[in-house]
Amino acid sequence: MPCYLDVEPLTTHYDCDYPTTDGLPLSNIHPNPIHKPKTLANMSECSISDTFVYAETYDANEQNEDRYVWRTNVTIPIQNQHFKRHEGVTALAHIFAVMDGHGGYDCAEFVKNEVIDLTIEKLSEVVYDEDGIHFVYEGEKGRSRVGCSSDSGSYRNDGIVDSIKAVLVDVYQILDDRWFERISRLTSGKKPQTVCQKNGPWSVGCSSLLSVVLQLSGNCDDKKDSWWLFTAHCGDVRACLVDLCQKFNGDMVDEVFVELTKDHTVQDKEEVSRICKRTSDPNPIRKNSAGSYCVAGSLAPTRAIGDAYLKDSRFSFSPFKKGVPYITCVPDVSAREIILQEKVHDSFLVICSDGIWENVSNDDIVMSLPRKENVESGINVSPAKKLVSSSLASVCKKENMRLRALQAVRRGTPRRMKHDDMTALTVDLFGLLCR
């Protein structure tokens, strides 16, 4: 079923421009990203922002392995299941995603190019019964899921929430399937990869976080439509919600800082337990060459898109082949209603790769975000750029280096030994939803 997009805000925002080859679309090639050396003075070369969304990235690797993308104001009609027609029920969606690649940028780039359109496509497959209470999403490949009903008669019930959650799970699984199909085509007839290698098709993957801010409307009993924030993630890209109004009224940071995700790493006992149940490897968590504990001594995240060598024996090799599958792409999905109150006039969604989170505190996150009174006065510094600046300042302190000296370190292994690629994306929710 086709979805309809508002004409003016249709632009999809990417992290930087990429070349094409022989006129092929980006999704069909391995593009070589064009990155310029960045300093705090010229970081805007890889900054993108609109009125309410800011994004910033800073390189550690020779070719940055982080990616981000967003699209706002997407209108999706929801069909009546029995009459197969649109009857005034629509969903307005704002979609944001951040990817953190490992083993190369290829998988993160692939997800960036696919995730927005795929999410819209699958959201358009949510249908409702003629009573407008039961929401259904059939899903892919037999992963049928039916939304629960509600006694409220409202479109914003557990049924639609469960259905949207099911959509996001399928988005991740479909992306993973498509990546496997892609590397199968790319490696057809070629000699199998025998070791993990940089940009090796079987050993490249990415952590991913997808956020959908969604509102249903049409034939509603409520006085006004509700906004919901859905977050799906696998790996160690994190998201949080920050309410600045409460902070600057004197409350503590932890009372206004809401963590939306939990990292999928070997430091999480539940994740380790899941891996032990999934694999036949008697020692699935072991040290890598640097002395850090990883999945199969190879990968830090316990969930990811890609990383075929840790999932499927067809793409694996020694010493991993006998133990697959180790990891999964299935995301954790959360949903929470966004309450828009007059006193809460500064609410932000913050999504960052681990290159940011490992260097900043909750306080740093809160203080990077603009206060409403500053914005109204014309003082509007990109909060994403401030987060990258705070992260770099933290690295300088750890390494006992001046910022200029840190920025002079060559990208690639020398700089990667100091810090990871950094990506921050911030969304002014109150401004976006109440404009």
Side-chain angles (χ1 to χ4, degrees):
M1 166 179 162
C3 58
Y4 302 93
L5 308 179
D6 292 345
V7 176
E8 180 189 1
L10 183 57
T11 303
T12 300
H13 301 267
Y14 295 98
D15 44 357
C16 51
D17 294 326
Y18 293 85
T20 58
T21 300
D22 298 329
L24 295 175
L26 281 173
S27 58
N28 292 332
I29 65 170
H30 280 279
N32 295 314
I34 301 172
H35 284 292
K36 301 176 182 179
K38 291 179 282 295
T39 66
L40 287 183
N42 67 11
M43 273 199 297
S44 59
E45 292 175 352
C46 275
S47 301
I48 297 181
S49 66
D50 59 23
T51 308
F52 305 109
V53 187
Y54 293 87
E56 187 78 30
T57 188
Y58 186 84
D59 297 352
N61 291 290
E62 289 184 16
Q63 295 181 331
N64 195 316
E65 296 177 357
D66 289 355
R67 296 291 186 270
Y68 61 79
V69 61
W70 79 81
R71 191 182 299 174
T72 56
N73 293 316
V74 181
T75 302
I76 304 169
I78 298 180
Q79 288 192 92
N80 182 296
Q81 183 183 23
H82 294 284
F83 297 104
K84 304 297 183 184
R85 64 173 180 258
H86 174 232
E87 297 183 330
V89 179
T90 61
L92 177 63
H94 309 289
I95 306 170
F96 312 92
V98 172
M99 287 66 65
D100 182 352
H102 43 258
Y105 63 82
D106 299 51
C107 188
E109 174 71 10
F110 170 81
V111 173
K112 184 197 79 172
N113 291 327
E114 297 275 338
V115 66
I116 298 290
D117 288 338
L118 178 59
T119 300
I120 295 170
E121 175 190 336
K122 304 314 290 183
L123 285 173
S124 70
E125 294 178 10
V126 176
V127 297
Y128 70 97
D129 285 341
E130 69 276 8
D131 58 10
I133 297 177
H134 299 81
F135 283 82
V136 180
Y137 171 65
E138 291 298 334
E140 291 266 332
K141 296 184 177 180
R143 297 190 287 265
S144 178
R145 302 176 180 88
V146 179
C148 303
S149 63
S150 169
D151 295 330
S152 67
S154 166
Y155 286 109
R156 284 147 310 282
N157 54 39
D158 290 339
I160 189 61
V161 170
D162 287 349
S163 293
I164 300 302
K165 284 183 175 181
V167 165
L168 299 185
V169 171
D170 269 3
V171 165
Y172 273 68
Q173 292 178 318
I174 294 167
L175 286 170
D176 206 46
D177 290 345
R178 288 182 181 179
W179 175 255
F180 275 48
E181 293 168 1
R182 187 167 185 260
I183 63 175
S184 294
R185 294 194 303 269
L186 290 172
T187 60
S188 178
K190 295 184 179 180
K191 186 177 180 180
Q193 181 178 318
T194 56
V195 295
C196 290
Q197 54 182 289
K198 193 74 169 177
N199 293 313
W202 295 302
S203 57
V204 65
C206 72
S207 298
S208 175
L209 191 147
L210 171 64
S211 285
V212 178
V213 181
L214 183 139
Q215 179 192 48
L216 287 176
S217 63
N219 302 327
C220 297
D221 295 332
D222 292 4
K223 293 182 179 179
K224 64 177 182 178
D225 299 337
S226 298
W227 284 98
W228 285 82
L229 170 62
F230 295 86
T231 302
H233 83 291
C234 66
D236 53 10
V237 178
R238 294 187 212 169
C240 69
L241 277 175
V242 181
D243 177 358
L244 285 186
C245 183
Q246 296 294 329
K247 166 63 180 176
F248 293 115
N249 282 342
D251 291 341
M252 299 300 291
V253 175
D254 58 1
E255 294 180 0
V256 298
F257 188 98
V258 180
E259 294 182 350
L260 298 174
T261 60
K262 182 174 69 171
D263 287 356
H264 298 138
T265 67
V266 296
Q267 281 70 48
D268 188 315
K269 293 182 180 180
E270 293 181 358
E271 285 295 294
V272 172
S273 177
R274 293 186 182 100
I275 290 174
C276 291
K277 293 177 180 178
R278 191 180 298 127
T279 179
S280 59
D281 189 334
N283 185 30
I285 309 300
R286 49 186 182 267
K287 290 183 178 180
N288 61 12
S289 58
S292 301
Y293 283 99
C294 297
V295 179
S298 179
L299 185 67
T302 55
R303 306 190 203 185
I305 296 173
D307 296 298
Y309 75 109
L310 293 178
K311 293 177 180 175
D312 192 324
S313 60
R314 295 175 301 163
F315 306 105
S316 193
F317 42 87
S318 179
F320 313 109
K321 191 166 186 174
K322 292 183 178 180
V324 296
Y326 288 91
I327 67 171
T328 180
C329 70
V330 177
D332 279 340
V333 184
S334 64
R336 61 187 297 125
E337 188 173 5
I338 301 174
I339 307 299
L340 299 175
Q341 304 176 27
E342 290 185 7
K343 66 176 181 178
V344 184
H345 53 242
D346 287 322
S347 294
F348 285 83
L349 170 65
V350 179
I351 308 173
C352 300
S353 63
D354 64 340
I356 295 288
W357 291 110
E358 64 191 12
N359 293 308
V360 299
S361 65
N362 292 1
D363 254 335
D364 293 326
I365 297 288
V366 172
M367 296 309 298
S368 71
L369 302 174
R371 306 188 196 186
K372 184 178 181 181
E373 56 267 29
N374 287 344
V375 175
E376 292 174 345
S377 301
I379 305 172
N380 193 13
V381 179
S382 163
K385 180 174 288 189
K386 290 175 69 175
L387 279 173
V388 172
S389 299
S390 294
S391 184
L392 288 172
S394 177
V395 173
C396 288
K397 186 175 181 179
K398 292 176 185 177
E399 299 292 333
N400 194 24
M401 299 176 66
R402 293 183 179 274
L403 178 60
R404 187 170 298 178
L406 179 65
Q407 293 172 326
V409 176
R410 182 171 58 85
R411 288 183 300 164
T413 301
R415 188 182 290 188
R416 184 63 182 83
M417 293 177 66
K418 307 293 184 183
H419 62 81
D420 200 352
D421 295 323
M422 301 177 184
T423 295
L425 188 151
T426 65
V427 184
D428 177 355
L429 289 174
F430 195 87
L432 181 67
L433 306 183
C434 297
R435 57 183 172 180

